[in-house]
Each structure stands twice: as C-alpha cells, then as structure tokens.
Amino acid sequence: MSGTKTIWECNSPDSLLDLSARFCITHLDTFLTSSKAEVDTLHLPTEIGEKLFQMAQEEGVDLDDKFIHIFRHLTRICRASLRESSITDRGIKYLLRHGLRELDIHNCAGLTVQTLHNINRYSDNLQNLCVGNSVQILPDYLQPEGTFSDSESEDGRDGNIYEKQGFIIKAPKLKRLCVRDLFVNRGPMFFDLLLKPLTDLNHLDLSGAFHNQGMGNFGWLLNVSQLVSLTLHNVQDVEDSLKTLCQLKNLHHVDISQCNESRGHFKQPTQFMETLVRSLPKLRSLDISGTNLAGTGGERTNTESVQCDIAGLASRVDNPLEFLGLYKTHNEASGRQHIPARSISGDSCEAQILVAGQRYLDRPTVLENILNDLFHVFRYETCQNLKQALDILLLAMERHNHEKHIQISGSASLYYVVKSESLKRDWNVKVKRKILGTLLNGMLTHREDPTMMRNGCLTLCQFQIPADVLFDYKRLVKILLHIVSEHTSEENNFIQRAGIFLLNSLACQVDGQQKMLVGSLGAMEKMLLIITDKLQQGVCDDVMETAWSTMWNVTDETPVNCERFLNGGGMYLFLKCKDRFPDKADLLRNMMGLLGNVAEVPSLRHKLMTKEFVEEFAFLLDSCSDGIEVSYNAAGVLAHMASDGPQAWAVDQPDRDHVLFRMARAINRWDLRSGRNINYRSFSPIIRLAGVSHTPECQLWAIWALANLTTVTPEKYCKLVVQEGGLSLVEEMLNENSDQVKTSLHQVKEWAGIVRSNVLKWEEQGDLNLEFDG
C-alpha cells in the first residue's frame, strides 16, 4: 500500500543532521545563551528547527513550556505535533506565534480554551489542525439565541462569546480539520458555527463526535461543500446523514464506520448503501466497518454480467472502490467472495487484518480488537507477512503508550514475532532498537501490571543480552529492578524469576561503568532484600541463587558495589544462607564468588577479618561442593587476605600459618584439568597475588589459577595472560632474575612452567593460522 507507515529502515549510519539533532535535544543547555545579544544573533533555519522538534518526539522528550521557551526566538517552525505533552496554554502560544501551517495536539491535558483563543489569534497560515483525544480546548455548549450565560467565570467557555464573534475556529486557510471525541452538551447551531467560517475545508474528521441534543440531519455539512474526505467514525445518528451526504458530490472518501454495535445497525442498510454510492460519482474509498450496511449476504446480486455479494455496491462492480472498510461488519461480510474493492480491511484473513491495522492506527478501541486478531494469527496460524505485522504492532504501541490493553496485546504478539528465525535474518540494529525501545516504553508506563511485565520479559529473552540492549541499558535496569522487588507475590513468581534472570544477564559481560550504574540504581540493596525475604520463608530457589549471582557479577572489579554489599549486611546473610542451606552447591558457589570480589578490594579486606568469617572460609577449603569451585573461591578469598602480610592478620584464631597450611593442602588436591564455571574479564588481581613473595601460598593459588585456565580454555585466557603482564611475571619467576618476583615453593615454579608452555603453544598456533590465511 502506498503511504503505508513502517518502522523498517536500512542499516546505514545516522546522518550528521540526525546525530547533531539528537545531541542537541539530549543536551538542551547547548542552546542556552547568556546575553540578549547572543539571542539576537543565533538563529536556525526552519528545516533545522523542525528536525529538532521531530527528534525530541522520537527521543521521548516532553515538549513542555520549558522546551518550547528555549526555541522561542531560536528558530521558526511551520509544523508542530504535540503528543503526550505537558505543555500549557502559555507554551503553545509561543509556538503559535511562529505562524504554524500544521498543528496536531493529542493527549495534552494541560491545555484549556485559552489555547483555542490563541489559535484563532495566530491562525492566518494554519492549514491543518488536529485536536485529538484528551484535549479540552473547544466549548461544550452554545447559549440559546436571546439568552445570557449563567456562567460567572471568565475562562472563555462562555457560550455567548462564539455566537457574538461569529466563529468557534477562525482559520481562513484551513483545509484539514480533525476533532476527535468532541462532546457538545447543548446548542443546536454548534456544528454550523464550527464549520461555516471554514470555507476552504476539504478534509473533515469528526470521529466520536456526540451532541446531547442530537446531530440533526447533518445539514451543517453543507457549509463545507468542497469536502473530498469526510470521516464520521463512531458518530451518533449517522443514519440520518444520508440526504446530506448525497449532496456532497466532491467526496472521494467517506467513513461512516462504528464501534458501537447498536449504532451500527441501520434500518434499511442495502437502500442506504445503494443510494449513497450512486449519489457520489467521485467516491473511491468507503468505510462501513462495524455496521450492517453490507447486508446479510442473502440479497447478493448474482447474474451472468454482475456478481456482487454486497447488494448495495452492485453499481461499482465495473468500477471497484480503491478501498472498502469491512472490519467487524455484521454477518461476516469481509469473508464474502465477490466484493467490488481492490483493498479491504476486514477480519476474515491475515491480509485484511493487516490492512485494518494500518488504516486504524488512530482508533485505540478498534486497534485493540485488531491486535487481538493478530495475536490469534501468530499463536494458532502461520503469519505470512511478519514485516508488516511488526510494523502494526510497533506503530500501535508507540502511538498509544498509555493504553494498557494495547500495550498488553501488542507485547503478547511481539513475543511470537521476534521468535521467528526468518524475521531475525531480515532485521538490523536499527529495527532491533526500535522493537526494544517501544517495548521498554510500554513496560515503564505499565510497570505495575503483571501481564505487561510477563510479556515484556518473555520478549526480551529472545534477544542477545546484554549486547542488544546496551543502547538503552539504564531504562532496562530500572524496569527489571522494579520487577524483582515489586512483583513478588506467589502468582507473580514467574515474573520475578524472569526479571532476575534478565538482570543477572545484564550484569554479566559488561564494563565497570555499567556495573557501577546497576549498583547506583539500588541493585545491591534490592538483591539483599530478596535474599532476606527468601530466608524468612525458608526457601532457597533459583530466585535466591540468581540474586547472589547478580551481586557476584555486579561486584566484579567494582569496589563501590562491594562496599554496598558489606554496608547492606551481606556478610550476615552469607552466614545465614550457608547455615540454612548447606547442601545447595550453586548457592555456595555464587556466594563465595562474590566474596572473592570483595576480598580483591584492599580497603575492604579488614571487614572480612573476623574470627567467624575466617573460620568459615577455612572450613570451605575442604568443600567438594560444585567440583572445586567453592574450595577455589574460599582459597582465593584467604589468599587476598593473607597478601597484606602477617601484620594485617588481625585475629588470633584461626592462626594464619594454620590457615595457609590448609590452603596449600587444598590447592595441591585440585586437578589442573578441572573444567571451570567462571568467567574472568581481567587477571590483574590474580597476577598481583602471583607477585606476593612474602607469602608463597598466595602465589600457589594465583599460579595454579593461571595454569588451570590456560590449560582448560587457552583460546580465551592465554591472550589475557600476555596482555596483562602475566607472561613477563612468569618468565621472571622461572629465570630467577628478579628480587621482587621470586618464590620459595617448587610447585609454584612447576605450574609457572605450565603457564609459559600453554601461552607459547597458543602463540605458535596463532602464527600457523596466520601463515595458512596468508
């Protein structure tokens, strides 16, 4: 379909204009000037100004009064779209002074009738005006002629004012007017007064309009006889409009669709349709969705020359409509075979549902039904056009972020779409970011709804975490922390499990800045609360184990998070968990891995130096839980504590020498070829210990770690040994050519030789590969 909206775009880099605009919008102080002279000299062309406004919308910036004020003298714009904005009458007045040609205001609750007066004051160039949902700027009544208002307020809603001035909207060049969900309480001449001054109007959309005193026979439409497009979607009494509609001979598009089933029931549907279609010679597009205007199907025309399953359209068989709206028509009209239209919105097949999705993006009630239909296609059938389906899902969710049912239904379908391997072959980084950004918007807005959180987590699990989400890392962390700490009831157990799993994945394999960010957003405190809660329940499940794993990841080479763990009572919880769940190998491994990170921080080691803690670590040296992992981590903690020297060993019991003896005994029992359940990003803490000559047991642990890791996973860890100076240290130790790097243990030298051998073998293999490639 031409003009179809889409989220698909090529994977080329953003233009310099887009990059510059995005930077400026996210750093608004760029435009702040310090003097009036600078204000007068700085001016941006209209094209740049409009790009900045467009980028602000894309980036989710609230176009409030402060934002508008910054651009008051900086640029002039011709088009302004304000959706979900907190702008007030004052802010929009700044915009209107630009002499706008197009203005779209939707869900801007801060606007009052004063904005209508400002529109009328600055409307000389206005050609397109859209007043969307939740915008209360039009009056809701007119006083009966010859009476006076009983209102004592002077807020501009006095019903007499408009009749006195002779207009409601004054815009001499206005060509397109859209007013959605207009409610008029009284004043039979309201629509006459609204339309009569708008002599150039050719597109009119009054979707959802309601007049408490009735719509009359719609004769007021004759005030705008040049209309080419008329939308009366979900308007009351539309059956009474036939006589008037038939006089609007220029109409190309007519929409008399309904959401309300009772309103959609016409007394003489076939006669209404036939009369309307025959009376409008230029008609190319007709929407009768939600009505019975297609008849029952029993009155179809079927002769040798004419086959038509909608009797009222028999006159268009030789001249089919470009578009016919049949979505949710009575008697399943969209499923009929002979329909004189090239494009049909309906609900009988995937293609019709997709057409409906594109046509009704601005109708949240209809859109909710469409998304439910799409979900049925994804779940029980095979979707033939995933790209277009994804378009509709994302555009719907993006446009109606505050409509909870649209977000829930859209995210449920999104899960099935992103699972598709064929779609994954077609999407690129930009499309993935669009999907994730739109999903996170919905999750953030409806974070209290468990169904939305469940759908969101399931969809996120289909992506590569953390790689795919690094562009929006902070928002996702905030959402997941909310999930794991607030969605904790028994019925939400799955949501909490999914949330903490994703959070743990986010904390793994990211750099220190991101780990610090996770900590600064309260991750450590929330994990400790979860663990406390599970302890009180007497439950050790995957949520508790993953909470410890998350803290293990977040504290890796991040001292500030280690400190948060200690300050939050983490060591007390460690002891309680170990005593309560002594047989949980994964739990013990995760806890000891975390304590290994804490022990790497010199300024925090003294907090571990208590009789109770040291006894626990020494006891775990002989643990066989989870292979060697618990024993290995316990030895690592003690090695770091011992590396500060005898003077820093602040406890009499256990005795330092006895602990070191037990540590060496445990290390010598480990199998050098043991597979590992660990992931090092850096060897610097280990390499530091390898140089601690005053305590050879520290070296024993460190060199064994390097020998083991370069033996079991040489392709990953040999490079790290070389890059961080480990090979140089091993060479010095083996050659005994340094007073600072030496060892008194033969076993240390033996394992150091293995490290060197592993690295050299790896380097030789790399040279061979280069020769082969060359």
Side-chain angles (χ1 to χ4, degrees):
M1 293 188 304
S2 60
T4 297
K5 301 177 183 68
T6 182
I7 58 96
W8 293 90
E9 57 180 313
C10 65
N11 205 28
S12 57
D14 288 340
S15 67
L16 182 58
L17 175 59
D18 282 350
L19 291 170
S20 303
R22 186 172 290 110
F23 176 85
C24 292
I25 287 303
T26 52
H27 299 79
L28 286 174
D29 54 343
T30 306
F31 298 114
L32 298 179
T33 52
S34 57
S35 67
K36 187 177 185 305
E38 288 179 341
V39 172
D40 294 337
T41 56
L42 184 61
H43 188 79
L44 297 173
T46 297
E47 295 79 7
I48 302 295
E50 290 183 350
K51 169 57 76 173
L52 290 169
F53 273 73
Q54 176 194 333
M55 187 61 69
Q57 289 267 332
E58 291 178 8
E59 293 296 306
V61 175
D62 183 9
L63 304 188
D64 56 7
D65 290 5
K66 182 180 178 182
F67 179 90
I68 302 300
H69 189 267
I70 292 172
F71 293 90
R72 183 172 51 154
H73 302 298
L74 188 63
T75 185
R76 297 188 71 82
I77 62 171
C78 296
R79 303 172 185 82
S81 177
L82 302 165
R83 302 179 74 90
E84 323 287 344
S85 167
S86 62
I87 194 169
T88 69
D89 298 325
R90 183 180 182 185
I92 210 164
K93 185 176 182 180
Y94 292 143
L95 272 182
L96 290 165
R97 285 174 173 169
H98 289 225
L100 297 176
R101 288 204 300 268
E102 298 179 15
L103 176 61
D104 181 353
I105 43 180
H106 178 88
N107 203 14
C108 301
L111 300 181
T112 72
V113 72
Q114 185 58 47
T115 284
L116 175 62
H117 298 328
N118 288 329
I119 288 173
N120 291 335
R121 187 175 305 160
Y122 301 106
S123 63
D124 288 348
N125 296 319
L126 193 62
Q127 297 178 20
N128 190 341
L129 174 62
C130 181
V131 182
N133 308 90
S134 304
V135 178
Q136 306 296 328
I137 66 170
L138 294 174
D140 62 0
Y141 73 95
L142 297 178
Q143 286 295 113
E145 192 173 350
T147 66
F148 296 94
S149 171
D150 55 4
S151 169
E152 296 180 1
S153 69
E154 297 183 1
D155 66 354
R157 300 184 73 89
D158 187 328
N160 282 324
I161 291 175
Y162 304 99
E163 292 202 80
K164 288 176 184 176
Q165 66 188 18
F167 58 84
I168 294 174
I169 295 175
K170 177 188 176 185
K173 296 180 181 178
L174 195 68
K175 297 186 181 302
R176 293 172 177 262
L177 174 64
C178 170
V179 182
R180 294 199 177 96
D181 296 331
L182 174 63
F183 176 86
V184 182
N185 193 28
R186 64 179 187 267
M189 301 302 292
F190 185 96
F191 288 106
D192 271 300
L193 195 59
L194 176 68
L195 297 178
K196 194 170 185 179
L198 307 177
T199 54
D200 284 356
L201 203 66
N202 53 41
H203 285 69
L204 176 62
D205 182 347
L206 291 175
S207 294
F210 179 87
H211 197 305
N212 207 27
Q213 295 175 310
M215 305 296 279
N217 64 356
F218 292 78
W220 34 268
L221 286 171
L222 298 177
N223 289 306
V224 282
S225 59
Q226 299 305 309
L227 283 180
V228 297
S229 175
L230 174 62
T231 298
L232 298 174
H233 167 68
N234 215 34
V235 172
Q236 68 179 123
D237 306 329
V238 76
E239 188 169 7
D240 300 335
S241 68
L242 181 61
K243 183 180 178 181
T244 300
L245 293 180
C246 290
Q247 297 177 63
L248 298 173
K249 301 296 184 181
N250 291 309
L251 282 174
H252 291 194
H253 169 73
V254 175
D255 184 342
I256 48 176
S257 59
Q258 295 289 333
C259 291
N260 186 307
E261 189 169 345
S262 60
R263 281 190 195 168
H265 185 80
F266 287 64
K267 294 172 185 173
Q268 297 178 306
T270 300
Q271 184 180 339
F272 186 102
M273 274 279 281
E274 190 172 357
T275 304
L276 179 67
V277 171
R278 288 183 180 278
S279 301
L280 300 178
K282 298 181 181 179
L283 189 68
R284 298 200 303 264
S285 172
L286 176 64
D287 202 326
I288 57 171
S289 298
T291 73
N292 67 341
L293 287 172
T296 63
E299 64 281 90
R300 64 173 60 89
T301 302
N302 195 350
T303 67
E304 287 187 11
S305 58
V306 177
Q307 285 188 318
C308 183
D309 289 339
I310 298 178
L313 290 177
S315 63
R316 296 301 298 255
V317 168
D318 295 328
N319 180 25
L321 294 167
E322 293 296 322
F323 168 76
L324 178 62
L326 295 176
Y327 185 71
K328 301 296 182 188
T329 42
H330 302 187
N331 306 305
E332 300 179 340
S334 65
R336 298 173 197 169
Q337 187 174 358
H338 302 292
I339 301 174
R342 292 187 172 88
S343 175
I344 297 170
S345 71
D347 52 328
S348 67
C349 65
E350 177 190 318
Q352 291 183 354
I353 295 169
L354 293 175
V355 172
Q358 282 285 351
R359 299 284 304 202
Y360 309 137
L361 281 169
D362 285 319
R363 299 176 182 176
T365 305
V366 180
L367 204 50
E368 188 182 331
N369 287 323
I370 292 169
L371 294 181
N372 288 335
D373 289 340
L374 272 179
F375 178 74
H376 189 277
V377 171
F378 295 132
R379 189 166 186 182
Y380 301 109
E381 303 171 25
T382 301
C383 184
Q384 302 300 316
N385 194 334
L386 282 169
K387 280 191 171 183
Q388 195 177 340
L390 182 60
D391 267 333
I392 290 164
L393 293 176
L394 292 186
L395 291 168
M397 292 175 70
E398 183 181 67
R399 191 164 299 195
H400 303 285
N401 186 43
H402 291 278
E403 296 284 344
K404 184 169 74 172
H405 294 298
I406 285 178
Q407 294 300 317
I408 289 173
S409 186
S411 59
S413 293
L414 203 55
Y415 165 71
Y416 287 97
V417 174
V418 300
K419 275 177 66 177
S420 165
E421 291 302 321
S422 63
L423 190 72
K424 288 179 180 178
R425 287 194 294 269
D426 291 336
W427 70 18
N428 55 43
V429 171
K430 286 188 173 182
V431 173
K432 277 198 285 189
R433 288 186 175 186
K434 187 72 172 178
I435 295 169
L436 288 162
T438 304
L439 180 64
L440 295 187
N441 289 340
M443 291 179 74
L444 205 57
T445 302
H446 304 284
R447 55 188 174 273
E448 304 303 334
D449 187 272
T451 306
M452 184 65 199
M453 295 302 98
R454 181 180 184 276
N455 293 350
C457 287
L458 284 171
T459 304
L460 287 166
C461 288
Q462 302 304 313
F463 290 86
Q464 295 293 319
I465 306 291
D468 285 344
V469 296
L470 291 176
F471 76 101
D472 215 348
Y473 192 82
K474 183 175 182 178
R475 281 206 310 163
L476 180 52
V477 171
K478 283 183 175 180
I479 292 168
L480 294 176
L481 286 174
H482 179 82
I483 288 173
V484 301
S485 58
E486 299 299 326
H487 292 271
T488 57
S489 63
E490 188 62 37
E491 59 268 26
N492 293 337
N493 180 257
F494 172 81
I495 303 170
Q496 189 186 39
R497 282 168 52 217
I500 205 163
F501 167 79
L502 285 164
L503 189 64
N504 190 36
S505 300
L506 270 186
C508 188
Q509 297 178 347
V510 292
D511 62 30
Q513 287 296 322
Q514 283 147 336
K515 290 178 188 289
M516 284 194 287
L517 172 64
V518 175
S520 70
L521 293 173
M524 302 301 292
E525 291 80 4
K526 283 183 168 59
M527 295 304 103
L528 293 169
L529 281 172
I530 289 170
I531 293 163
T532 301
D533 185 52
K534 293 293 181 182
L535 270 170
Q536 289 173 351
Q537 296 173 31
V539 173
C540 178
D541 56 8
D542 50 359
V543 171
M544 175 185 263
E545 290 176 0
T546 310
W548 281 103
S549 179
T550 301
M551 291 195 292
W552 182 6
N553 281 317
V554 171
T555 53
D556 181 28
E557 297 184 47
T558 314
V560 64
N561 288 338
C562 295
E563 189 169 11
R564 288 186 174 109
F565 167 77
L566 294 177
N567 292 342
M571 291 304 297
Y572 168 79
L573 291 177
F574 159 69
L575 294 175
K576 297 293 286 185
C577 286
K578 182 184 171 299
D579 289 343
R580 189 70 182 271
F581 311 110
D583 300 324
K584 294 288 186 178
D586 288 344
L587 174 68
L588 201 51
R589 182 193 70 240
N590 293 345
M591 292 194 298
M592 290 308 301
L594 163 58
L595 296 184
N597 290 339
V598 176
E600 289 176 3
V601 184
S603 61
L604 299 179
R605 283 200 278 269
H606 69 279
K607 294 190 177 183
L608 304 179
M609 191 64 73
T610 70
K611 178 178 183 293
E612 191 175 22
F613 294 156
V614 176
E615 282 180 344
E616 286 292 344
F617 303 149
F619 172 77
L620 291 171
L621 286 170
D622 297 321
S623 171
C624 296
S625 180
D626 197 30
I628 68 165
E629 295 300 332
V630 172
S631 177
Y632 171 86
N633 283 318
V637 171
L638 291 168
H640 283 290
M641 294 172 72
S643 70
D644 292 330
Q647 71 283 357
W649 196 270
V651 293
D652 295 329
Q653 293 296 326
D655 176 67
R656 183 175 187 269
D657 290 339
H658 178 66
V659 169
L660 292 176
F661 168 77
R662 292 184 61 186
M663 193 170 102
R665 185 180 65 185
I667 294 169
N668 281 301
R669 282 200 301 259
W670 301 339
D671 183 353
L672 201 62
R673 292 176 299 279
S674 296
R676 307 302 308 284
N677 187 4
I678 199 163
N679 177 44
Y680 281 104
R681 291 188 305 125
S682 169
F683 278 157
S684 59
I686 296 177
I687 291 170
R688 184 191 73 83
L689 287 178
V692 179
S693 302
H694 62 71
T695 306
E697 290 83 0
C698 297
Q699 295 176 310
L700 191 70
W701 180 84
I703 296 296
W704 186 93
L706 296 178
N708 164 254
L709 293 166
T710 56
T711 298
V712 176
T713 323
E715 68 282 355
K716 180 176 182 180
Y717 289 121
C718 285
K719 182 179 180 181
L720 208 54
V721 170
V722 174
Q723 286 178 337
E724 300 196 340
L727 182 60
S728 301
L729 182 141
V730 164
E731 295 280 11
E732 289 184 26
M733 185 179 288
L734 291 171
N735 296 332
E736 298 182 355
N737 57 1
S738 169
D739 291 334
Q740 294 182 337
V741 183
K742 57 185 178 179
T743 184
S744 59
L745 292 179
H746 171 74
Q747 190 64 64
V748 172
K749 283 194 173 184
E750 184 179 326
W751 287 336
I754 292 174
V755 175
R756 179 172 65 179
S757 175
N758 288 340
V759 172
L760 293 177
K761 193 182 300 181
W762 169 78
E763 288 180 333
E764 288 171 8
Q765 186 64 42
D767 291 339
L768 283 174
N769 289 338
L770 285 173
E771 286 179 24
F772 180 77
D773 292 340

PDB file of all heavy atoms in Angstrom, residues 758-772:
ATOM      1  N   ASN A 758      51.794 -23.219  27.953  1.00  0.00           N
ATOM      2  CA  ASN A 758      50.462 -23.035  27.355  1.00  0.00           C
ATOM      3  C   ASN A 758      50.394 -21.787  26.483  1.00  0.00           C
ATOM      4  O   ASN A 758      49.837 -21.796  25.380  1.00  0.00           O
ATOM      5  CB  ASN A 758      49.400 -22.938  28.455  1.00  0.00           C
ATOM      6  CG  ASN A 758      49.132 -24.267  29.137  1.00  0.00           C
ATOM      7  OD1 ASN A 758      49.435 -25.331  28.587  1.00  0.00           O
ATOM      8  ND2 ASN A 758      48.576 -24.216  30.343  1.00  0.00           N
ATOM      9  N   VAL A 759      50.999 -20.695  26.976  1.00  0.00           N
ATOM     10  CA  VAL A 759      50.950 -19.433  26.230  1.00  0.00           C
ATOM     11  C   VAL A 759      51.781 -19.540  24.948  1.00  0.00           C
ATOM     12  O   VAL A 759      51.336 -19.107  23.868  1.00  0.00           O
ATOM     13  CB  VAL A 759      51.437 -18.263  27.105  1.00  0.00           C
ATOM     14  CG1 VAL A 759      51.581 -16.992  26.266  1.00  0.00           C
ATOM     15  CG2 VAL A 759      50.471 -18.010  28.263  1.00  0.00           C
ATOM     16  N   LEU A 760      52.972 -20.119  25.053  1.00  0.00           N
ATOM     17  CA  LEU A 760      53.822 -20.242  23.859  1.00  0.00           C
ATOM     18  C   LEU A 760      53.156 -21.135  22.807  1.00  0.00           C
ATOM     19  O   LEU A 760      53.220 -20.856  21.599  1.00  0.00           O
ATOM     20  CB  LEU A 760      55.192 -20.804  24.250  1.00  0.00           C
ATOM     21  CG  LEU A 760      56.058 -19.877  25.118  1.00  0.00           C
ATOM     22  CD1 LEU A 760      57.366 -20.563  25.514  1.00  0.00           C
ATOM     23  CD2 LEU A 760      56.352 -18.563  24.384  1.00  0.00           C
ATOM     24  N   LYS A 761      52.518 -22.209  23.261  1.00  0.00           N
ATOM     25  CA  LYS A 761      51.819 -23.110  22.334  1.00  0.00           C
ATOM     26  C   LYS A 761      50.676 -22.365  21.636  1.00  0.00           C
ATOM     27  O   LYS A 761      50.460 -22.512  20.436  1.00  0.00           O
ATOM     28  CB  LYS A 761      51.271 -24.306  23.109  1.00  0.00           C
ATOM     29  CG  LYS A 761      50.807 -25.470  22.218  1.00  0.00           C
ATOM     30  CD  LYS A 761      50.227 -26.602  23.060  1.00  0.00           C
ATOM     31  CE  LYS A 761      51.260 -27.147  24.055  1.00  0.00           C
ATOM     32  NZ  LYS A 761      50.698 -28.263  24.866  1.00  0.00           N
ATOM     33  N   TRP A 762      50.000 -21.549  22.407  1.00  0.00           N
ATOM     34  CA  TRP A 762      48.900 -20.748  21.837  1.00  0.00           C
ATOM     35  C   TRP A 762      49.418 -19.739  20.819  1.00  0.00           C
ATOM     36  O   TRP A 762      48.837 -19.564  19.742  1.00  0.00           O
ATOM     37  CB  TRP A 762      48.160 -20.036  22.967  1.00  0.00           C
ATOM     38  CG  TRP A 762      47.190 -18.976  22.507  1.00  0.00           C
ATOM     39  CD1 TRP A 762      45.952 -19.163  21.993  1.00  0.00           C
ATOM     40  CD2 TRP A 762      47.413 -17.560  22.518  1.00  0.00           C
ATOM     41  NE1 TRP A 762      45.375 -17.958  21.678  1.00  0.00           N
ATOM     42  CE2 TRP A 762      46.251 -16.956  21.996  1.00  0.00           C
ATOM     43  CE3 TRP A 762      48.478 -16.746  22.929  1.00  0.00           C
ATOM     44  CZ2 TRP A 762      46.128 -15.573  21.867  1.00  0.00           C
ATOM     45  CZ3 TRP A 762      48.359 -15.376  22.807  1.00  0.00           C
ATOM     46  CH2 TRP A 762      47.191 -14.797  22.277  1.00  0.00           C
ATOM     47  N   GLU A 763      50.546 -19.107  21.133  1.00  0.00           N
ATOM     48  CA  GLU A 763      51.121 -18.144  20.198  1.00  0.00           C
ATOM     49  C   GLU A 763      51.580 -18.819  18.906  1.00  0.00           C
ATOM     50  O   GLU A 763      51.401 -18.286  17.807  1.00  0.00           O
ATOM     51  CB  GLU A 763      52.299 -17.416  20.859  1.00  0.00           C
ATOM     52  CG  GLU A 763      51.865 -16.419  21.929  1.00  0.00           C
ATOM     53  CD  GLU A 763      53.035 -15.710  22.580  1.00  0.00           C
ATOM     54  OE1 GLU A 763      54.150 -16.287  22.617  1.00  0.00           O
ATOM     55  OE2 GLU A 763      52.848 -14.574  23.070  1.00  0.00           O
ATOM     56  N   GLU A 764      52.169 -20.016  19.039  1.00  0.00           N
ATOM     57  CA  GLU A 764      52.598 -20.763  17.848  1.00  0.00           C
ATOM     58  C   GLU A 764      51.401 -21.134  16.982  1.00  0.00           C
ATOM     59  O   GLU A 764      51.457 -21.032  15.756  1.00  0.00           O
ATOM     60  CB  GLU A 764      53.343 -22.036  18.269  1.00  0.00           C
ATOM     61  CG  GLU A 764      54.728 -21.787  18.848  1.00  0.00           C
ATOM     62  CD  GLU A 764      55.330 -23.060  19.439  1.00  0.00           C
ATOM     63  OE1 GLU A 764      54.719 -24.137  19.255  1.00  0.00           O
ATOM     64  OE2 GLU A 764      56.378 -22.961  20.097  1.00  0.00           O
ATOM     65  N   GLN A 765      50.320 -21.531  17.639  1.00  0.00           N
ATOM     66  CA  GLN A 765      49.111 -21.891  16.888  1.00  0.00           C
ATOM     67  C   GLN A 765      48.580 -20.682  16.128  1.00  0.00           C
ATOM     68  O   GLN A 765      48.148 -20.781  14.990  1.00  0.00           O
ATOM     69  CB  GLN A 765      48.041 -22.410  17.853  1.00  0.00           C
ATOM     70  CG  GLN A 765      46.788 -22.958  17.163  1.00  0.00           C
ATOM     71  CD  GLN A 765      47.082 -24.172  16.311  1.00  0.00           C
ATOM     72  OE1 GLN A 765      47.834 -25.042  16.710  1.00  0.00           O
ATOM     73  NE2 GLN A 765      46.506 -24.220  15.119  1.00  0.00           N
ATOM     74  N   GLY A 766      48.665 -19.504  16.765  1.00  0.00           N
ATOM     75  CA  GLY A 766      48.232 -18.284  16.091  1.00  0.00           C
ATOM     76  C   GLY A 766      49.078 -17.965  14.882  1.00  0.00           C
ATOM     77  O   GLY A 766      48.577 -17.550  13.831  1.00  0.00           O
ATOM     78  N   ASP A 767      50.415 -18.172  14.980  1.00  0.00           N
ATOM     79  CA  ASP A 767      51.301 -17.928  13.841  1.00  0.00           C
ATOM     80  C   ASP A 767      50.987 -18.882  12.694  1.00  0.00           C
ATOM     81  O   ASP A 767      50.995 -18.500  11.515  1.00  0.00           O
ATOM     82  CB  ASP A 767      52.768 -18.101  14.270  1.00  0.00           C
ATOM     83  CG  ASP A 767      53.206 -16.984  15.218  1.00  0.00           C
ATOM     84  OD1 ASP A 767      52.543 -15.928  15.213  1.00  0.00           O
ATOM     85  OD2 ASP A 767      54.186 -17.188  15.958  1.00  0.00           O
ATOM     86  N   LEU A 768      50.690 -20.135  13.022  1.00  0.00           N
ATOM     87  CA  LEU A 768      50.348 -21.116  11.984  1.00  0.00           C
ATOM     88  C   LEU A 768      49.074 -20.707  11.255  1.00  0.00           C
ATOM     89  O   LEU A 768      48.986 -20.812  10.030  1.00  0.00           O
ATOM     90  CB  LEU A 768      50.148 -22.499  12.611  1.00  0.00           C
ATOM     91  CG  LEU A 768      51.429 -23.254  12.998  1.00  0.00           C
ATOM     92  CD1 LEU A 768      51.076 -24.527  13.738  1.00  0.00           C
ATOM     93  CD2 LEU A 768      52.247 -23.586  11.751  1.00  0.00           C
ATOM     94  N   ASN A 769      48.111 -20.223  12.005  1.00  0.00           N
ATOM     95  CA  ASN A 769      46.852 -19.792  11.386  1.00  0.00           C
ATOM     96  C   ASN A 769      47.070 -18.615  10.456  1.00  0.00           C
ATOM     97  O   ASN A 769      46.475 -18.523   9.383  1.00  0.00           O
ATOM     98  CB  ASN A 769      45.826 -19.412  12.462  1.00  0.00           C
ATOM     99  CG  ASN A 769      45.304 -20.631  13.208  1.00  0.00           C
ATOM    100  OD1 ASN A 769      45.378 -21.734  12.696  1.00  0.00           O
ATOM    101  ND2 ASN A 769      44.799 -20.420  14.416  1.00  0.00           N
ATOM    102  N   LEU A 770      47.970 -17.696  10.859  1.00  0.00           N
ATOM    103  CA  LEU A 770      48.274 -16.542  10.003  1.00  0.00           C
ATOM    104  C   LEU A 770      48.912 -16.989   8.697  1.00  0.00           C
ATOM    105  O   LEU A 770      48.603 -16.488   7.615  1.00  0.00           O
ATOM    106  CB  LEU A 770      49.190 -15.561  10.740  1.00  0.00           C
ATOM    107  CG  LEU A 770      48.533 -14.701  11.828  1.00  0.00           C
ATOM    108  CD1 LEU A 770      49.593 -13.919  12.578  1.00  0.00           C
ATOM    109  CD2 LEU A 770      47.520 -13.753  11.204  1.00  0.00           C
ATOM    110  N   GLU A 771      49.857 -17.946   8.796  1.00  0.00           N
ATOM    111  CA  GLU A 771      50.513 -18.456   7.590  1.00  0.00           C
ATOM    112  C   GLU A 771      49.492 -19.104   6.666  1.00  0.00           C
ATOM    113  O   GLU A 771      49.496 -18.921   5.456  1.00  0.00           O
ATOM    114  CB  GLU A 771      51.591 -19.477   7.973  1.00  0.00           C
ATOM    115  CG  GLU A 771      52.836 -18.853   8.583  1.00  0.00           C
ATOM    116  CD  GLU A 771      53.854 -19.925   8.960  1.00  0.00           C
ATOM    117  OE1 GLU A 771      53.798 -21.010   8.351  1.00  0.00           O
ATOM    118  OE2 GLU A 771      54.677 -19.671   9.845  1.00  0.00           O
ATOM    119  N   PHE A 772      48.577 -19.867   7.249  1.00  0.00           N
ATOM    120  CA  PHE A 772      47.573 -20.551   6.446  1.00  0.00           C
ATOM    121  C   PHE A 772      46.653 -19.537   5.759  1.00  0.00           C
ATOM    122  O   PHE A 772      46.358 -19.642   4.571  1.00  0.00           O
ATOM    123  CB  PHE A 772      46.755 -21.486   7.338  1.00  0.00           C
ATOM    124  CG  PHE A 772      45.683 -22.250   6.595  1.00  0.00           C
ATOM    125  CD1 PHE A 772      46.011 -23.346   5.807  1.00  0.00           C
ATOM    126  CD2 PHE A 772      44.357 -21.850   6.676  1.00  0.00           C
ATOM    127  CE1 PHE A 772      45.024 -24.039   5.118  1.00  0.00           C
ATOM    128  CE2 PHE A 772      43.373 -22.538   5.988  1.00  0.00           C
ATOM    129  CZ  PHE A 772      43.722 -23.637   5.210  1.00  0.00           C
TER     130      PHE A 772
END
